[in-house]
């Protein structure tokens, strides 16, 4: 990576306001943010953007896949991607995640997610 390139983070949440909050925090920390509103959209963006270095996803989302399914699918396809999953409650979430994934409980701060996603 050259000095002018930014790490790219895929932010996945069905709540647009939550995505905006996450995006501002991550952009302020120097990341480029790619947004998706559900797991299917996220997987499509992952194929479009081989430069994505990290995934930040909520657990609860509409569609066939939730955030846990998405984290496992991303890890299977791209084990090099850092994965951070969030939810209002743990409820066994961490046990179902890939070993390399991290979990942060809501509410979180922009500084927390930025620190956890730093390579």
């Amino acid at each position: 990576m050259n000095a002018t390139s930014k790490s790219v983070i895929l932010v996945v949440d069905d709540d647009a306001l939550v995505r905006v909050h996450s995006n501002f925090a991550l952009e302020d920390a120097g990341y480029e943010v790619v947004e998706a509103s559900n797991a299917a959209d996220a997987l499509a963006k992952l194929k479009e953007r081989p430069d994505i270095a990290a995934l930040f996803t909520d657990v609860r989302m509409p569609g066939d896949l939730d955030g846990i399914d998405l984290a496992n699918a991303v890890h299977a396809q791209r084990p090099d991607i850092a994965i951070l999953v969030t939810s209002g409650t743990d409820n066994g979430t961490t046990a179902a995640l890939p070993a390399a994934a991290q979990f942060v409980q809501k509410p979180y701060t922009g500084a927390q997610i930025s620190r956890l996603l730093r390579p």
Side-chain angles (χ1 to χ4, degrees):
M1 181 179 346
N2 65 44
T4 58
S5 66
K6 296 179 177 184
S7 289
V8 180
I9 296 179
L10 177 57
V11 174
V12 188
D13 199 299
D14 61 317
D15 185 327
L17 291 176
V18 172
R19 281 197 318 271
V20 166
H21 169 75
S22 300
N23 290 1
F24 283 145
L26 291 167
E27 286 170 352
D28 284 349
Y31 294 100
E32 178 183 341
V33 176
V34 174
E35 289 184 45
S37 59
N38 59 53
D41 189 25
L43 291 171
K45 295 242 166 72
L46 191 66
K47 287 181 182 172
E48 293 168 11
R49 299 285 307 260
D51 58 339
I52 290 173
L55 168 70
F56 177 50
T57 183
D58 190 17
V59 170
R60 296 182 65 193
M61 287 184 286
D64 293 336
L65 302 176
D66 65 12
I68 295 169
D69 297 327
L70 176 61
N72 282 293
V74 168
H75 181 70
Q77 292 176 25
R78 296 267 315 273
D80 58 304
I81 290 181
I83 299 172
L84 180 60
V85 178
T86 188
S87 181
T89 58
D90 186 331
N91 289 345
T93 299
T94 53
L97 292 173
Q102 299 181 78
F103 178 82
V104 62
Q105 189 161 330
K106 292 179 182 179
Y108 51 79
T109 65
Q112 274 180 298
I113 57 175
S114 176
R115 185 179 66 250
L116 289 167
L117 288 171
R118 201 158 304 292

